[in-house]
Amino acid sequence: MSDEKSTDTIHKTPQTSPRQSATFDEYTNSEIRRAAATGIYDIRGGGSKRKLPHFDDLLFLGASVSRYPLEGYREKCGTDVVLGTRFAKKPIYLKTPVTIAGMSFGSLSGPTKEALGRGASAVGTSTTTGDGGMTPEERGHSTTLVYQYLPSRYGMNPDDLRKADAIEVVIGQGAKPGGGGMLLGQKITKRVAKMRCLPEGIDQRSACRHPDWTGPDDLEIKIAEIREITDWEKPIYVKIGATRPYFDVALAVKAGADVVVLDGMQGGTAATQEVFIEHVGLPILAAIRPAVQALQDLGMHRKVQLIVSGGIRNGADVAKALALGADAVAIGTAALIALGDNDPHLEKEYRKLGTTAGAYDDWHEGKDPAGITTQDPELMKRVDPIKAGHRLANYITVMTMEAQIVARACGKSHLHNLEPEDLVALTIEASAMAQVPLAGTSWIPGVTKF
Amino acid sequence: METLKFDLDTKSLREVNQFLHGDASGLNGKSIVIENPNGAHNIAVGLKAELDVTIKGHAGYYAAGMNQIAKVTIEGSAGSGVAENMMSGHVHVKGFASNAAGATANGGLLVIDGDAGLRCAIALKGADIVVGGSVGSFSAFMAQAGNFVILGDAGEGLGDSIYEAKVFVRGKVKSLGADCEEKTMNAEDRQILADLLKKSGYADVSPDSFKQYGSARTLYHFHVDNAGAY
């Protein structure tokens, strides 16, 4: 009998393991169900979450027989950067190339803006306003404040323009190049509404185009107007989302920019459509070299400074961005995490919101348990601007030191001496995008023959 | 009143603007004449003192842009963005104005005797604009606050996605934009209109000859059912 039984088992038709589709994966299916139930696209904050070719796909070669390294902790490796040397009477001097990206009061709470100002000022770098104008808190706590001049012109007034240390004409951002914004009614408190001249509690649309100019020739006149108003004192940045970086950078230079800010698709937004975030624009890795090429072709590299942003997380990313030709970087999402955003100690509260620490991105709903992306007066009390600012300062200090460690290992006495020659790529894609050789070869796809 | 003359044929625009940005206590009450503007851009931008500036001819883009307190008269036509983002004061264009006149202006009064181009009063944030002639298409697009008076006709898409700004038109409106509708003029609005007509030199024009337009407020909260309206 027992022999018969075991024979049956052997001859039973074998089953394959349940197999999930790589195309219709768990997230995709959940989005189909969500769209089917609601009839409306998904809105969220943050930048692209998909895996993209990024700085992790690059490695520094370091010094060896053919290159001299510099002594760690002993030999100087400069980190300072001067922005706005082209036309401005008063360029900006920063101690670190890590700056804080534009983020608005409205999307962020008042204490968060204050914390950003405190942290950045402590380490000698700049913060940037956002849509909705400049708050006194922000000006007061930021030694160097860049004032964004946006299509919506919410809260824009010439007194603030004059109070700023630099002005950033925003044409686009990496999360949504070609798109405007939407701040939903729950975040339009009395104060936010007043600053934006809109009724309290309504959904507020931020324009995607500037109201009084179109095209690069007009931009040139607009920049001249801002220079005239500020008596040619302030550096004027032009911020673009990474799409056609070679042409856009060239046109920004032609229009008279002192500094170009180039934001990749990993750069965050307060709120926009998921489809926009994930499917429009370029990862920053693919955008830096064409941007630098445009500057070099015009003889303006290092004369018009380039700030890059979108997924900068650590000193290695900073060093790699600079090695590819940028003068400085900007951090947004990383700065918020340093302040306490998406922290695991709030896991219970993230669970209540149907998410988990690290994945929370419904910033537009104003329910952020960390008190950062909210206007809720109770929630925002959770941000202690002094402590959070201290954490941000620590984080930027670490990033700067990490970049120095890498630069010294490459034999560079200043972060700006890093160069593409110091890098290789781990993947063919990254090699082609960053225009550095595939590791172990001399091959750069599109540049040299294999 | 002391009058100072600047000739843009012999003095740079930058020098003139920097003079006009000087210490308000030394500038208040001064009368300035700018000769030979010849369509230069950015004339008299960023003023912030009690100045009376007359531009003797045509101005280019952004004339009197971001004006505060000052009175600026353009004795000719103005290019794009005249009095853009004005905060207060008075800007008077005696000729025509190009596109985006008074864009995002927060306060003060902009008077254009002639016609204005496309997107006049775009994203208006609280200023008053009076146009003696007609305005081009897409005027008062996303206008948030303030009063916009048009004595002539309005082009296509007037007041598209308008918020709380009030629009008064005496002539014909080619078409209204999304969420813009005709309103019944109440006594308060009639008074606003009458005051603006008087202040801008049209005291003899009856407010009763105007129709008023404003937001239907159906797009104030995004809803999928409205997707077809955009």
Side-chain angles (χ1 to χ4, degrees):
Chain A
M1 284 296 281
S2 66
D3 279 356
E4 225 169 80
K5 225 179 188 178
S6 67
T7 310
D8 277 356
T9 310
I10 289 165
H11 287 102
K12 195 175 169 186
T13 308
Q15 299 288 307
T16 58
S17 304
R19 182 183 178 189
Q20 296 284 357
S21 168
T23 305
F24 290 90
D25 60 13
E26 190 186 335
Y27 175 78
T28 303
N29 294 350
S30 71
E31 168 53 21
I32 292 171
R33 285 188 285 271
R34 192 208 59 75
T38 64
I40 183 81
Y41 43 70
D42 190 24
I43 289 181
R44 69 170 175 88
S48 174
K49 290 187 166 186
R50 65 156 88 195
K51 182 151 177 56
L52 292 163
H54 198 38
F55 295 118
D56 286 341
D57 300 317
L58 302 180
L59 293 173
F60 281 100
L61 290 174
S64 183
V65 181
S66 63
R67 302 284 187 279
Y68 270 45
L70 295 185
E71 193 61 49
Y73 306 111
R74 289 291 180 275
E75 289 184 296
K76 188 169 173 55
C77 176
T79 63
D80 57 308
V81 58
V82 188
L83 301 169
T85 50
R86 185 185 184 190
F87 289 123
K89 286 183 202 163
K90 295 180 178 173
I92 283 178
Y93 293 84
L94 303 178
K95 290 181 183 167
T96 167
V98 182
T99 68
I100 304 297
M103 290 177 277
S104 74
F105 168 73
S107 67
L108 299 185
S109 66
T112 302
K113 290 298 284 180
E114 183 182 331
L116 289 170
R118 285 176 179 275
S121 299
V123 294
T125 193
S126 60
T127 62
T128 311
T129 66
D131 223 348
M134 182 192 289
T135 63
E137 297 98 306
E138 190 171 21
R139 177 61 280 188
H141 293 288
S142 301
T143 309
T144 306
L145 181 59
V146 182
Y147 185 49
Q148 283 197 331
Y149 186 76
L150 291 124
S152 74
R153 310 276 166 87
Y154 289 134
M156 199 341 268
N157 80 63
D159 291 331
D160 289 342
L161 214 56
R162 294 183 197 104
K163 278 182 213 157
D165 299 295
I167 294 145
E168 182 171 301
V169 178
V170 179
I171 294 168
Q173 65 184 98
K176 46 182 177 183
M182 180 75 95
L183 199 58
L184 296 187
Q186 48 268 48
K187 287 177 87 169
I188 307 288
T189 61
K190 201 171 182 177
R191 185 177 182 201
V192 174
K194 187 164 184 275
M195 282 180 73
R196 299 179 184 219
C197 305
L198 283 168
E200 202 176 329
I202 72 164
D203 294 345
Q204 166 260 285
R205 168 111 197 126
S206 293
C208 69
R209 291 193 306 268
H210 281 264
D212 55 354
W213 64 269
T214 49
D217 295 333
D218 283 6
L219 174 60
E220 190 170 348
I221 305 169
K222 174 51 72 177
I223 289 176
E225 182 201 11
I226 298 169
R227 287 202 193 280
E228 285 294 325
I229 288 173
T230 55
D231 294 330
W232 292 73
E233 288 183 348
K234 326 270 184 194
I236 296 183
Y237 301 7
V238 171
K239 179 175 180 176
I240 52 175
T243 56
R244 297 173 184 83
Y246 182 87
F247 298 107
D248 290 342
V249 169
L251 290 169
V253 170
K254 185 250 175 199
D258 290 305
V259 175
V260 176
V261 182
L262 178 67
D263 189 25
M265 69 187 288
Q266 300 99 324
T269 171
T272 203
Q273 299 91 346
E274 157 85 11
V275 70
F276 213 143
I277 298 171
E278 296 290 1
H279 298 278
V280 184
L282 299 180
I284 193 62
L285 187 69
I288 300 176
R289 290 306 295 275
V292 172
Q293 191 65 52
L295 293 170
Q296 288 170 338
D297 288 352
L298 294 166
M300 298 305 273
H301 189 219
R302 306 295 188 207
K303 293 177 185 163
V304 168
Q305 287 79 34
L306 178 68
I307 302 176
V308 302
S309 55
I312 304 281
R313 304 153 298 174
N314 52 45
D317 290 350
V318 177
K320 288 169 186 174
L322 267 52
L324 294 177
D327 294 273
V329 302
I331 56 168
T333 305
L336 299 187
I337 293 168
L339 297 183
D341 179 56
N342 266 297
D343 198 292
H345 87 274
L346 296 163
E347 182 61 15
K348 272 188 187 168
E349 296 191 54
Y350 287 123
R351 292 277 169 169
K352 280 185 207 160
L353 295 170
T355 184
T356 185
Y360 176 66
D361 57 16
D362 286 327
W363 300 346
H364 56 290
E365 292 178 353
K367 296 174 185 166
D368 184 1
I372 291 173
T373 58
T374 182
Q375 294 301 316
D376 182 306
E378 287 306 310
L379 288 173
M380 72 170 76
K381 281 182 195 162
R382 296 178 178 186
V383 176
D384 178 333
I386 295 170
K387 285 183 184 166
H390 190 63
R391 281 199 300 275
L392 177 64
N394 279 343
Y395 171 57
I396 296 175
T397 300
V398 169
M399 289 176 95
T400 309
M401 288 194 298
E402 285 177 343
Q404 281 177 304
I405 288 163
V406 170
R408 284 197 187 96
C410 295
K412 311 296 185 187
S413 60
H414 196 287
L415 295 183
H416 288 149
N417 295 342
L418 287 163
E419 55 195 325
E421 194 275 336
D422 292 314
L423 292 167
V424 292
L426 285 168
T427 67
I428 294 171
E429 289 85 352
S431 175
M433 290 177 189
Q435 295 170 36
V436 298
L438 184 66
T441 78
S442 57
W443 181 40
I444 304 174
V447 178
T448 59
K449 286 190 176 171
F450 185 67
Chain B
M1 187 186 279
E2 188 188 352
T3 300
L4 287 168
K5 281 190 182 176
F6 290 99
D7 185 345
L8 281 184
D9 270 351
T10 56
K11 212 160 184 69
S12 76
L13 177 74
R14 200 185 303 188
E15 286 175 279
V16 176
N17 278 337
Q18 289 195 5
F19 175 83
L20 298 175
H21 298 160
D23 183 36
S25 60
L27 291 174
N28 282 345
K30 280 200 166 57
S31 181
I32 309 288
V33 173
I34 297 174
E35 293 176 328
N36 296 312
N38 297 329
H41 303 307
N42 305 320
I43 302 174
V45 294
L47 304 189
K48 52 187 193 304
E50 284 176 34
L51 285 160
D52 189 332
V53 178
T54 303
I55 299 168
K56 293 272 188 191
H58 303 310
Y61 277 43
Y62 310 129
M66 304 195 202
N67 187 55
Q68 290 167 291
I69 309 170
K71 181 178 184 214
V72 180
T73 306
I74 299 165
E75 292 186 344
S77 292
S80 287
V82 61
E84 64 88 14
N85 216 88
M86 175 165 56
M87 303 303 291
S88 58
H90 185 168
V91 176
H92 184 183
V93 182
K94 293 200 167 176
F96 298 101
S98 185
N99 298 339
T104 74
N106 287 260
L109 173 64
L110 167 64
V111 179
I112 299 160
D113 291 349
D115 296 331
L118 305 173
R119 301 184 297 278
C120 185
I122 182 171
L124 187 68
K125 296 183 197 306
D128 296 320
I129 299 180
V130 178
V131 179
S134 298
V135 299
S137 298
F138 319 119
S139 288
F141 176 63
M142 288 177 81
Q144 299 171 216
N147 302 295
F148 181 26
V149 180
I150 303 155
L151 277 85
D153 301 330
E156 287 177 283
L158 178 72
D160 195 290
S161 304
I162 190 169
Y163 292 100
E164 292 299 301
K166 293 173 180 177
V167 183
F168 304 91
V169 187
R170 190 164 70 149
K172 288 180 202 147
V173 174
K174 194 162 185 189
S175 66
L176 293 175
D179 210 31
C180 185
E181 65 176 13
E182 190 177 337
K183 300 277 186 189
T184 306
M185 199 184 304
N186 62 30
E188 191 188 333
D189 292 337
R190 192 182 182 283
Q191 192 57 51
I192 289 170
L193 175 58
D195 290 346
L196 280 175
L197 289 167
K198 198 174 164 191
K199 271 201 265 184
S200 48
Y202 299 102
D204 56 332
V205 177
S206 167
D208 298 325
S209 58
F210 287 78
K211 283 183 178 172
Q212 184 178 342
Y213 302 89
S215 179
R217 303 187 181 97
T218 59
L219 303 181
Y220 274 15
H221 292 276
F222 184 81
H223 193 279
V224 67
D225 293 343
N226 293 329
Y230 304 109

